[in-house]
Amino acid sequence: MSQKRYNQEFKQTVVELYRLGTTVSQLSSEYGVSEVTIYKWIKQLSPIECEQELTLADIEAIQKENLRLKQEIEILKKAMTIFARK
């Protein structure tokens, strides 16, 4: 049995309908998506609740660090291929 793939916009629409008051069982029936999958989307697309509030500056710093780490990984991958050839 093949898995269905849903795009991010569809997932967000279903979650938004849930937040507006549509029950998960109604969404499941209407869109042909299992209730378990919808609950998973709700969890994935809900804001993180934590004791410490993140400011916009905190989020920007995290994103900047994430980008730096991704670039570093790419550099290390290139270095590994160079050294692997020798």
Side-chain angles (χ1 to χ4, degrees):
M1 184 174 178
S2 65
Q3 270 188 319
K4 293 182 182 177
R5 301 283 180 186
Y6 301 99
N7 65 33
Q8 194 65 22
E9 184 179 343
F10 178 78
K11 293 176 186 179
Q12 289 173 333
T13 300
V14 171
V15 171
E16 186 62 29
L17 289 170
Y18 168 78
R19 289 183 182 144
L20 292 173
T22 309
T23 66
V24 171
S25 60
Q26 288 172 324
L27 293 168
S28 176
S29 296
E30 187 172 339
Y31 294 101
V33 178
S34 75
E35 290 185 20
V36 172
T37 300
I38 294 173
Y39 280 117
K40 185 174 102 178
W41 294 347
I42 292 167
K43 185 176 179 181
Q44 287 175 343
L45 299 173
S46 294
I48 297 172
E49 296 176 18
C50 61
E51 295 174 11
Q52 179 184 4
E53 290 187 30
L54 293 176
T55 65
L56 183 57
D58 293 333
I59 293 171
E60 289 173 352
I62 291 168
Q63 289 173 332
K64 185 177 179 180
E65 177 70 4
N66 190 26
L67 178 61
R68 185 190 67 77
L69 291 170
K70 285 180 180 180
Q71 291 170 340
E72 188 175 306
I73 288 171
E74 288 304 312
I75 291 168
L76 291 172
K77 283 180 183 178
K78 290 177 184 176
M80 280 180 23
T81 59
I82 291 170
F83 288 115
R85 291 182 199 160
K86 294 182 178 186

